[in-house]
Amino acid sequence: MSRSPLLEGLPPIGSPDARLLILGNMPSVLSLASGQYYGNPRNAFWRIIGEIFGCEADAPYQNRTEVLARHGVAVWDVLKHCRRVGSLDSAVEPDSMVPNDFGTYFAARPGIERVFFNGAAAERNFTRLVHLDVPATFVRLPSTSPAQTMGYAGKLAAWTAALTG
């Protein structure tokens, strides 16, 4: 029996008419504690989103999520439940992974055209655990996590090209 805690992810954010979906793997310890996506201040997600869509990275969370919704962007994670110590994707116990209900999610949001994976773990686990035929383009982007070693400028360039292209 595992001694790692069973973690439950966050509900999706964004409007029902979203065209873009950004999928992380599982929220970090700080994100889960705050109930906010990308709650680790060292994660570059909100800084990148702020530069792309013109909002302050440290604005109140509700303001940032409203900016995403106005731009047709939704955010969720691949995993609904898992066991993990710490925040690293590599620490997730593989046999504990339970994906979110993407069948229902995509059925309720038929306008989603592009899905962006925030890093390799999100893409790998979605591919392994979710078996749907969705008429969307799927693209892996560099992780915004502070554990990902690509420099900020490279991350910003890749995310900007993807979200504005």
Side-chain angles (χ1 to χ4, degrees):
M1 178 160 212
S2 174
R3 294 166 54 137
S4 301
L6 181 63
L7 304 175
E8 182 171 346
L10 300 172
I13 58 173
S15 67
D17 59 346
R19 296 173 295 99
L20 310 176
L21 173 61
I22 297 170
L23 289 177
N25 191 48
M26 182 70 179
S28 71
V29 170
L30 289 173
S31 295
L32 291 173
S34 67
Q36 299 180 3
Y37 281 96
Y38 304 102
N40 181 340
R42 292 182 46 231
N43 190 300
F45 181 82
W46 290 114
R47 185 173 165 203
I48 288 170
I49 292 301
E51 289 201 44
I52 294 171
F53 296 128
C55 69
E56 294 297 322
D58 59 354
Y61 184 70
Q62 182 174 343
N63 294 12
R64 292 177 277 151
T65 62
E66 288 170 359
V67 166
L68 288 174
R70 276 197 308 273
H71 286 90
V73 179
V75 175
W76 206 14
D77 282 303
V78 173
L79 300 179
K80 176 180 179 141
H81 296 287
C82 72
R83 292 186 184 281
R84 175 190 71 202
V85 174
S87 294
L88 294 176
D89 288 329
S90 61
V92 174
E93 297 174 16
D95 292 345
S96 73
M97 295 180 191
V98 175
N100 276 306
D101 181 0
F102 287 100
T104 300
Y105 184 85
F106 283 116
R109 292 160 185 82
I112 292 180
E113 303 165 352
R114 292 181 286 162
V115 177
F116 301 104
F117 297 108
N118 189 346
E123 179 185 46
R124 180 178 56 252
N125 291 327
F126 184 91
T127 301
R128 184 173 73 85
L129 299 169
V130 181
H131 306 286
L132 293 173
D133 184 20
V134 179
T137 301
F138 293 81
V139 176
R140 181 177 72 193
L141 293 172
S143 174
T144 59
S145 167
Q148 211 281 358
T149 58
M150 175 186 276
Y152 178 77
K155 290 178 186 185
L156 177 61
W159 279 78
T160 300
L163 295 179
T164 62

